[in-house]
Amino acid sequence: MKMRKIFCGIIVLAFIGFIGAIQSPAAEKEVTYLSLADYTAAIAGLNVPGDMGTEDYFKELNAKGGVDGVKVKFIGVDTRYDVARGVSAYKRYRTAPKLLVANAIGTPIGKAVAPLATKDKIVQLVPGDGEFQAHIGRIFVWGPTYQDAFAATVDWLLADWKKKGKPGMPKLGYISWDSAYGKEPLRGGKEYAEKMGVTMAPPEFFPAGALDHTVYLARLAKAEVNYIFVGGVDPTPTNVIRDAHKLGLTKTIQFFCDYWGPTSLGVRLHPEALEGTVIVSYYIRGDDARKHPLANLWTKYGRGKLEDMNEVYTIGMLWAMTFEEALKIALKQVGYKKLDGEAMYQAYQKLTGLERAGLQGPCAYSPTSRRGSWEVRFYQVRGGKINSISGWIKTPDAVSLHKF
Amino acid sequence: MKYIKKTIIVLSLLMFLLTFVACSTLFPPPKPKATVAVTPEKVELAFPGILRVPIVFTGTGWAPKEMVVVDMVLPQGVEMKGVNPGEDVGIAYGEADDAGNFKGEVPATAKLNTIFRVGWTPILAPDPKTLNPIPPGVYKIKASGADSGALATTTLEFVKPAPKQ
């Protein structure tokens, strides 16, 4: 009797195991994309909409079945300008299943995490530091480097000067955060300006968090500059130009901003002060961005009204599109089982010429290039809107002019 | 017969012991245990005074040139922006030297974000109105090696600031 009970028990357990086995789905194939970003304060204006774009693009991709059945898991960590948090978060997630790419949206965290990411043989993305083009490794820049964009702006202002029929050569001023990011455009950009015969006034650097910029601007005005290039992530550049407007400088000096200059949302707040400001950008902005078919992901995934879409959302989609294409190549090369950071690294170097729906110039990644693209466009604030004033223009190579 | 049996037993024992003696040379000498210490061990939750007090972690026995990450364990109920419940929060890091010694200081951003749980204004300045210091108490600190996986622990005590005279 006892034996019979034991035998029945074994049969029941085996049956339960069998049912469980046939009901559990096959283990889902997944890879991980890690974002180490500051989701608060100034850089939040870049990081939050940027990562929204990435997350939404991956949601869309996964809903369509992923890349050959492989889904992408997005992990976003708020590092709050804190390098210790960034390093700790990277260490925590470095063992995530098939972590292939870490995007460090901030220069200091990017530089701190680089040794670990390199040891782990994954791909790391950083904003625009030219040193990663000068020293080729596993770190890839989102677009043209900061110095390349600065050099393209020098070309633009020389053409503008000539068009206006002014004699001699213009003088250029520069103002930005007192940080590694703030100084980066001049590492090669300054050499390019000199090469082109443009004199530069001594650059002005102010601490992040400065409420007033009139002292720095007054010094540039005293140096009799004709153009001023303003760095910082919005709202900082908007606040600098607002102060310049108060001083009456915007009437006589043409102001420029870099990639992180005013978005359409910032322009709405200070349309008068920003009127005429020229923005150099490696991604589409203003109505160009909002009218793009991919912008519908913003509303589809409940981010709000389209007119409230921050154009930086576009950059996030670009990171994801680039990842998707590299994943396709890597899977083709090694298959899912052997897929790792090394395979992804090899794949990123094969993306040369990749078109990304016109959101950015063609991809320039190659075995010898870490630039996300070579091209920039110029936009200008007119009538409270950001309007395109150029097509895609290839930037000069300013990185090669500097000794890193 | 009895003699042969005894000899076989002794020889078997010898063979058995020899295996261990021989194999012991294959193993490297034991690694020194990783350690971590903090100076000072007690910190006043006084703002902005804390920004002037260096909180420094030092340690020995780590793998040469490895990155050592220092995390603070958050007790249950202590919430922190940017940190999921149950996660530790990074407060310092440093690279070990060739001898396996490391040093890492808590940066100002970690003091603001983690010890004072401050918010930031849109122009990248800490917002003093949002100061929300962590509860006083003894907090567990975990240092871990990024290459070796070694782990060492210590504690750091946060105390209420002394009342103003």
Side-chain angles (χ1 to χ4, degrees):
Chain A
M1 188 66 186
K2 197 176 175 186
M3 280 301 287
R4 207 171 151 184
K5 272 186 182 171
I6 292 170
F7 183 69
C8 283
I10 290 169
I11 289 189
V12 167
L13 281 173
F15 182 72
I16 290 168
F18 174 73
I19 294 293
I22 60 165
Q23 279 193 340
S24 69
E28 196 167 68
K29 289 179 181 174
E30 195 175 68
V31 294
T32 306
Y33 172 100
L34 174 65
S35 172
L36 300 171
D38 305 315
Y39 293 151
T40 182
I43 302 178
L46 154 65
N47 292 354
V48 173
D51 271 354
M52 282 176 177
T54 307
E55 201 174 1
D56 292 352
Y57 190 90
F58 284 147
K59 277 181 198 163
E60 189 75 359
L61 180 68
N62 290 339
K64 289 176 184 165
V67 176
D68 297 333
V70 178
K71 306 275 178 77
V72 185
K73 185 179 182 184
F74 171 86
I75 298 176
V77 180
D78 181 7
T79 47
R80 299 177 73 82
Y81 310 97
D82 192 338
V83 179
R85 278 201 190 193
V87 172
S88 173
Y90 179 77
K91 195 179 158 287
R92 185 180 310 125
Y93 290 111
R94 71 196 294 211
T95 52
K98 293 201 185 286
L99 173 65
L100 303 178
V101 169
N103 191 1
I105 316 182
T107 304
I109 290 175
K111 288 186 179 181
V113 163
L116 283 179
T118 301
K119 269 186 192 169
D120 292 344
K121 295 189 172 179
I122 66 161
V123 170
Q124 192 187 336
L125 308 179
V126 292
D129 307 78
E131 69 173 88
F132 299 115
Q133 172 58 42
H135 304 293
I136 297 282
R138 291 173 179 272
I139 300 166
F140 294 75
V141 177
W142 299 342
T145 67
Y146 288 136
Q147 34 278 84
D148 295 341
F150 183 85
T153 310
V154 169
D155 285 350
W156 192 94
L157 71 88
L158 281 171
D160 180 63
W161 188 256
K162 206 172 161 189
K163 201 167 72 187
K164 286 174 180 160
K166 300 209 174 176
M169 291 296 271
K171 195 171 183 183
L172 175 60
Y174 181 88
I175 178 167
S176 190
W177 279 332
D178 188 3
S179 66
Y181 151 78
K183 287 166 187 169
E184 189 66 20
L186 300 181
R187 301 208 297 167
K190 186 170 170 279
E191 289 89 331
Y192 187 79
E194 279 165 10
K195 188 180 144 188
M196 300 306 286
V198 173
T199 309
M200 282 196 73
E204 295 289 342
F205 298 107
F206 57 89
L211 293 169
D212 188 273
H213 312 88
T214 51
V215 175
Y216 313 98
L217 288 163
R219 269 202 294 265
L220 288 175
K222 206 175 165 193
E224 296 181 332
V225 297
N226 311 102
Y227 297 89
I228 294 180
F229 192 98
V230 185
V233 179
D234 216 35
T236 294
T238 292
N239 292 345
V240 171
I241 298 171
R242 174 206 63 197
D243 291 345
H245 181 69
K246 274 187 215 158
L247 293 170
L249 300 181
T250 51
K251 283 181 197 156
T252 52
I253 298 170
Q254 172 65 58
F255 281 78
F256 296 102
C257 291
D258 73 7
Y259 304 153
W260 320 127
T263 62
S264 300
L265 309 182
V267 172
R268 270 191 224 163
L269 297 174
H270 297 281
E272 204 187 329
L274 290 169
E275 183 73 7
T277 301
V278 171
I279 303 160
V280 58
S281 185
Y282 77 85
Y283 58 96
I284 59 170
R285 304 177 85 105
D287 283 347
D288 285 357
R290 263 180 290 278
K291 285 178 183 164
H292 193 280
L294 276 169
N296 65 22
L297 293 185
W298 174 268
T299 45
K300 184 176 177 180
Y301 289 102
R303 303 298 189 185
K305 291 178 192 164
L306 197 57
E307 58 262 36
D308 295 330
M309 185 189 99
N310 185 323
E311 298 104 301
V312 178
Y313 186 74
T314 308
I315 305 178
M317 291 195 284
L318 283 160
W319 299 326
M321 289 166 98
T322 310
F323 181 95
E324 178 192 5
E325 288 306 315
L327 184 57
K328 277 181 193 167
I329 296 171
L331 283 169
K332 208 174 171 186
Q333 297 283 318
V334 300
Y336 179 72
K337 213 172 172 186
K338 289 185 180 168
L339 180 65
D340 58 8
E342 176 62 25
M344 200 63 167
Y345 169 62
Q346 296 301 333
Y348 262 74
Q349 295 177 91
K350 290 174 184 157
L351 293 173
T352 323
L354 170 73
E355 292 288 349
R356 289 161 288 191
L359 297 170
Q360 179 178 357
C363 187
Y365 295 153
S366 80
T368 56
S369 170
R370 294 297 175 263
R371 290 176 171 95
S373 54
W374 274 105
E375 291 75 16
V376 289
R377 288 176 87 107
F378 288 89
Y379 287 86
Q380 190 164 33
V381 180
R382 286 275 171 230
K385 291 184 99 179
I386 294 178
N387 305 293
S388 175
I389 55 167
S390 82
W392 292 110
I393 296 169
K394 191 175 181 202
T395 63
D397 173 6
V399 175
S400 62
L401 300 176
H402 188 77
K403 219 175 185 175
F404 286 89
Chain B
M1 190 66 188
K2 207 174 176 184
Y3 175 75
I4 292 171
K5 205 176 174 184
K6 270 187 183 170
T7 311
I8 288 171
I9 289 171
V10 169
L11 277 173
S12 301
L13 274 170
L14 268 173
M15 292 282 281
F16 184 70
L17 288 170
L18 268 171
T19 314
F20 283 95
V21 173
C23 286
S24 69
T25 58
L26 296 175
F27 298 110
K31 281 181 193 170
K33 203 171 175 264
T35 68
V36 64
V38 60
T39 311
E41 291 172 348
K42 209 178 266 190
V43 177
E44 257 190 27
L45 288 167
F47 190 86
I50 198 166
L51 298 175
R52 292 188 289 270
V53 179
I55 305 172
V56 181
F57 293 95
T58 52
T60 58
W62 300 92
K65 297 286 173 199
E66 81 170 324
M67 194 176 280
V68 180
V69 180
V70 180
D71 290 313
M72 186 162 87
V73 179
L74 297 177
Q76 218 173 8
V78 176
E79 289 177 359
M80 186 84 50
K81 276 184 186 159
V83 181
N84 296 322
E87 278 182 358
D88 303 331
V89 58
I91 55 169
Y93 70 100
E95 194 189 80
D97 62 16
D98 290 328
N101 303 317
F102 100 95
K103 188 177 175 182
E105 187 174 338
V106 180
T109 45
K111 288 175 180 171
L112 292 163
N113 277 319
T114 302
I115 302 173
F116 279 89
R117 298 187 284 186
V118 80
W120 297 83
T121 69
I123 54 163
L124 205 50
D127 183 355
K129 284 181 283 184
T130 60
L131 284 176
N132 179 21
I134 53 173
V138 177
Y139 286 75
K140 187 178 176 184
I141 301 295
K142 288 200 292 200
S144 51
D147 297 340
S148 65
L151 184 76
T153 60
T154 186
T155 57
L156 176 58
E157 186 175 1
F158 293 102
V159 294
K160 276 183 184 173
K164 284 176 187 170
Q165 297 284 319

